[in-house]
Each structure stands twice: as structure tokens, then as C-alpha cells.
Amino acid sequence: MDNIVIIGNGVAGISAARHIRKLSDKRIIVISAETDFFFSRTALMYVYMGHMKFEHIQPYENWFWEKNRIELVRGYVTQVDTETKQLQMDGSRAIQYDKLIIATGSKPNKFGWPGQDLHGVQGLYSKQDLDLLEVNAPNKEVCKRAVIVGGGLIGIEMAEMLRSRDIPVTFLVREESFWNGVLPDGESAMINEHILEHHIDLRLGNNLKEIVADENGKVKSVIITETGEELPCDVVGLTAGVTPNVNFLKDSGIELGRGVKVNRYLETNVNDVYAIGDCAEQHEAIGNRRPIEAVWYTGRMMGETVAQTICGNRIEYKPGHWFNSAKFLDIEYQTYGWVFSNKGKKEYEAHFHWRHSEEKICITVAFHKDTNQFLGLNTFGIRMRHEVFDRWLTEERDVDYVMEHLADANFDPEFFKKYETEIVSKFNSDLGKSINPKKKSLKRIFQTA
């Protein structure tokens, strides 16, 4: 019987384990040094904010693993010997494998800043990071100010967490506008406003120069590169992106780039070794996607895909149309298809943008300026239906059709205010169209009831 070893108990590794068990009686061993049991990483912030307890973000009861014959091993893998198919654990124990799945995720980026390893400096990625934040910033008496370095989604999550305990936060963002490498300018500008309205000291176009220690080796301040200003603080959150967690593989013979190099079947250059999730790097990007995707749902899909291959049904990883969702404080964000930032906009890409005159609600629609084909949509403050946009992208609908039927994609509850009429009116005005938006069809109403 094959011995399947999975390194990493995040969503990618556990999805693989669950689906291998559904498909086979193979022996499954999951190794992790982070926690005994799988948890939902995206929900860590809600534990700190008091909305949930840690046990609430564990999707499976503790008995689930034994009942499903998934063996859990706590520890670090320090070396992989692909010749003997053996893993070294913590420098002592050894585990044999017949097939190996690497699902070790990511670690926070560090860019060699002076003081980056001081007490009080941390990321926000692991359960250990959450525990450390409870020590470093339990309240505003212990942490009189925090500085967050890096303007991505983890950075804004950390800012929201700290503000929930009334801890003052300074947010250093090197870009001239928040997340403007991803968001079009109108959306980025709206999020800048929203951050400031939540009493977060947003410093755009500012870089970290140095983290300064006190006499006990703990953080006492940071120095900003551009101005030389020294900001007193007790905690520094490093949230300037993540890097695949693959250092332990450097002498294994497994091909590495930034992550573990894989083909479309998630196979490495070594027989019987696979990589999935945040640590996997495609040799060639799939469509407009990045070669490495640190996204929850792609990790799950990779886990399901590699399980099929290991159980004799070798299939290609096909993630389909791009989508994602997040929250910027209390604004819900969704994206379907491709809407590039002003910096990364394709030469054929045109944008239509609508923003509510008073509320923090907006959408941006991307379409082909020559063919009129719908390319993607970003929405803030309006919930949309994934399956509807996925279908429209597959059917290659034109943007006029999408605007006419926008009500069918709206996921907001019945008594929420609807904005389709205003959106389409501006679309008509901006582009010289005469589209009449349809109301939500009865068919759609019955389907969602």
C-alpha cells in the first residue's frame, strides 16, 4: 500500500488528504509544525478581534482525523532525500514516503531591514503569529502604537485587528496609493479615504529604513526613509507580501525558483514528488494568473487535483476564470475575470467606473475596447454571484449584455438597496449607449429563494 506523505496542514495539504481518502485506502501522513489540527487561516483575525474562538475556525472535529485514517505528525521537516524517499524530521526522526506532496505554504517577506528580528517585530500568517500578537499587543496600555509595513491585504487586516483594541496604528505604504498595483485608481483612492476615516495613520509613498531597539532589545521606534522621521512604537507588523516556504528543499534535487517548480499536473522534476498551494510555482503562468498564487481557493483546487493524479486519474490543474474576495475594513470586495490596475492595464482594455456619491460603494467593469467583450468586474460594497459572472466569462458575453442583466448577478438580500439603474445610467452617459437595465428575472428569484 502506497505511503502518501503531505508536508503542510493548510488548505492545500488537507484538501489533498481528504480527497485521497475519498478515492483510496492509501496510508496518509500529514506533517506540520504549526498546529495539531487544520484551521482556517483567513479567519485568524476574527479570533484576535473576539468574534470567534480558535476552536471555532477548525472546520473538523478532532476525532475526524483518526476516523478517516489520516495520521497527523507534529514537527519540522529539515531535509528531503529523494534518492531514498526519506524525510528527516527535526534533525533526528525519519519518515519514508512512496509519494510526497509539498504543501508548506508561505512565510512573510523580510528585506534585510536593520532591526527586523527584534522582539516586537512580527508578521501575521501563522497561529504562532496570532499568539505572538496577543503577547505584543494585548491592549493599548502595553502597545501604545503599532507600525505596519506593507500595503497589501494582510496589512489592512492587521490594522483592523489592532484598531479593534483601540491601539493607534501607523500604516507605511510604499506606493503612492493603497494597493494601486492591483486596483484601478478610482478604487484605490476610495480605499485610501476609508482607511483614514477609520483613524489609521496612512502614510503613502513611505518606506521603512530601520527598526530601532531599546536597551532590552525590543522595538522602540521606526525610522522612515523619505523623511528621516523617527516614530515611537511598541510593535512592528511586517506585511510586505509573502515568499514560498521552501528553504529546506535547497539540497533535495527538487527544482526551485521562488517556489517549487511544477508542471500543469503539479508534478516536480522528481518522480513521485508534487507541490501544491502557495509554495508551488508554475513553469509558465496559466493565462493572466501569476506563476505563484497565494490564494485560499486555488490551494484547495490544487489539493483536489493532485489527489486525483495520485489515485490513478492523472488530470491537469485548471483553475478556470480568476476570482477572489476580501474585505477592506467593512467594505466587501469581489473580483471576477481580469480588471487590471492603471499601471498594468492591457492595451486593449477599457474601463467603466461608477462610484456612489455618498457611500463607499463602487464598481469597475473591464471590457475589450475593440470587440466590446466583457473581461472582468471589481465590486466594492455590492455582493455579486460568482456562478453568474463565471458563466458570462465562459460565454464571452459583451459588456452591453452584462450591464443589461446586471440585476441577475446581484447577491444582496431582498431589502438591500439596489444600484443597477444608477450604474447603467452612468454607463450609458459615459459610453453613449442606450441600454435599459432589466429587473431581476423571476427565474433568478426562484433559483435563489
Side-chain angles (χ1 to χ4, degrees), residues 8 78 113 200 338 381 426 436:
T78 54
W113 293 295
I200 295 166
W338 294 105
K426 185 173 190 298
N436 182 27

Side-chain angles (χ1 to χ4, degrees), residues 152-344:
L153 294 174
I154 297 176
I156 201 165
E157 284 183 1
M158 194 172 191
E160 182 178 2
M161 292 164 68
L162 293 162
R163 289 300 299 136
S164 74
R165 298 193 184 185
D166 293 325
I167 294 169
V169 174
T170 294
F171 200 0
L172 300 185
V173 176
R174 68 177 180 178
E175 293 81 13
E176 296 304 316
S177 187
F178 182 84
W179 222 33
N180 66 350
V182 176
L183 300 178
D185 288 352
E187 299 170 354
S188 178
M190 187 179 81
I191 298 303
N192 292 340
E193 296 169 21
H194 198 60
I195 291 169
L196 291 167
E197 287 170 4
H198 279 74
H199 308 290
I200 295 166
D201 176 26
L202 177 63
R203 306 284 189 97
L204 297 170
N206 279 256
N207 287 274
L208 173 66
K209 180 180 181 182
E210 180 183 351
I211 305 170
V212 182
D214 65 12
E215 63 277 8
N216 299 312
K218 189 179 183 305
V219 170
K220 76 166 186 178
S221 63
V222 300
I223 297 175
I224 297 174
T225 301
E226 286 70 21
T227 62
E229 179 185 0
E230 186 170 359
L231 281 174
C233 61
D234 301 293
V235 169
V236 176
L238 299 183
T239 62
V242 294
T243 300
N245 185 21
V246 297
N247 286 354
F248 71 102
L249 297 169
K250 282 184 177 173
D251 299 320
S252 65
I254 297 168
E255 185 182 356
L256 303 177
R258 287 184 58 233
V260 181
K261 290 283 195 175
V262 294
N263 62 17
R264 291 290 195 262
Y265 297 89
L266 306 171
E267 298 161 334
T268 70
N269 63 310
V270 176
N271 287 339
D272 298 324
V273 179
Y274 308 82
I276 57 176
D278 296 15
C279 70
E281 179 181 1
Q282 289 284 330
H283 287 285
E284 294 179 6
I286 300 173
N288 286 321
R289 292 170 176 268
R290 295 176 179 175
I292 299 171
E293 289 192 312
V295 182
W296 183 90
Y297 81 88
T298 57
R300 175 182 55 78
M301 291 173 74
M302 288 186 209
E304 295 174 7
T305 300
V306 84
Q308 292 285 340
T309 295
I310 280 176
C311 293
N313 178 30
R314 184 172 181 261
I315 61 172
E316 190 175 337
Y317 169 59
K318 293 182 178 179
H321 299 298
W322 170 253
F323 71 94
N324 203 4
S325 62
K327 278 186 69 183
F328 296 96
L329 302 163
D330 55 348
I331 299 177
E332 293 188 29
Y333 157 72
Q334 293 173 294
T335 183
Y336 301 105
W338 294 105
V339 183
F340 291 101
S341 70
N342 289 63
K343 290 179 178 181

Side-chain angles (χ1 to χ4, degrees), residues 435-448:
I435 291 167
N436 182 27
K438 292 187 176 179
K439 292 186 177 179
K440 194 170 190 177
S441 69
L442 287 174
K443 181 181 177 183
R444 174 63 60 190
I445 290 170
F446 289 128
Q447 281 177 345
T448 59

Side-chain angles (χ1 to χ4, degrees), residues 405-436:
H405 295 87
L406 202 56
D408 281 348
N410 194 311
F411 190 71
D412 279 333
E414 182 181 355
F415 297 108
F416 273 45
K417 188 176 178 183
K418 302 293 190 279
Y419 300 97
E420 288 83 15
T421 301
E422 296 172 45
I423 293 167
V424 175
S425 175
K426 185 173 190 298
F427 180 79
N428 287 339
S429 173
D430 286 2
L431 279 79
K433 305 268 187 176
S434 56
I435 291 167
N436 182 27

